[in-house]
Amino acid sequence: MKGYALWSALIGIAYVILGLAEVASWIAGVFGKELQMPVTRDIIAGFVLITIGSILLYRTGDLMKMKYEGLSFLFVGLMLSAIIGGMYLLIALADALDAVIVGEEWAFDPSAYNLPAIILFILLLPCWLALRRKNEFSE
């Protein structure tokens, strides 16, 4: 279980860092500056990424000690990651399908689909396996 806890903590740190980068990029854009970061410059997306990262980090110690509180925070973080990352992935696939149907050219633009959220969602997928061991947790 410690492996899952450490992996989710690392991904949580990445969520917070990328969320802060999104917020910083948005703030710089307001002042007419351009930051060279692979983020979307969306302040709401930045706060969502910070929230997911905070949830993943909050009870990492309890997750390592096999307590239900740690598992519940991991589950909520996994759900939010799946909703946000899956949403951006579906948006990209819908745009690609639209281009195929209409016959237009489509090029994947990482800044339009929040690529960091998609990548972190995919990297967090192995933590779903931790939920199979829910019977081993204590209160």
Side-chain angles (χ1 to χ4, degrees):
M1 202 61 199
K2 289 182 181 182
Y4 292 123
L6 291 175
W7 183 250
S8 67
L10 285 173
I11 300 298
I13 291 168
Y15 264 110
V16 170
I17 290 171
L18 289 169
L20 290 172
E22 294 242 5
V23 172
S25 181
W26 181 83
I27 291 171
V30 168
F31 292 111
K33 305 289 183 189
E34 189 69 33
L35 297 180
Q36 298 300 321
M37 288 190 267
V39 293
T40 60
R41 284 180 33 176
D42 183 5
I43 193 166
I44 300 300
F47 285 130
V48 168
L49 292 181
I50 291 169
T51 302
I52 294 171
S54 299
I55 289 170
L56 289 172
L57 290 171
Y58 184 63
R59 292 289 181 160
T60 303
D62 286 339
L63 187 59
M64 287 182 152
K65 295 175 188 171
M66 304 282 286
K67 293 188 176 180
Y68 275 120
E69 291 87 10
L71 186 64
S72 62
F73 276 85
L74 175 64
F75 180 68
V76 170
L78 287 168
M79 290 299 295
L80 289 174
S81 175
I83 290 168
I84 299 302
M87 177 192 66
Y88 283 119
L89 194 59
L90 287 173
I91 290 170
L93 292 173
D95 285 347
L97 183 62
D98 179 56
V100 168
I101 292 172
V102 176
E104 297 175 348
E105 181 148 341
W106 179 77
F108 183 75
D109 180 16
S111 65
Y113 303 113
N114 202 337
L115 188 60
I118 294 171
I119 291 171
L120 290 175
F121 159 62
I122 292 169
L123 289 175
L124 199 57
L125 286 177
C127 288
W128 283 98
L129 298 174
L131 299 176
R132 293 188 314 170
R133 299 177 59 187
K134 67 179 187 262
N135 295 334
E136 300 172 23
F137 281 77
S138 65
E139 294 181 28

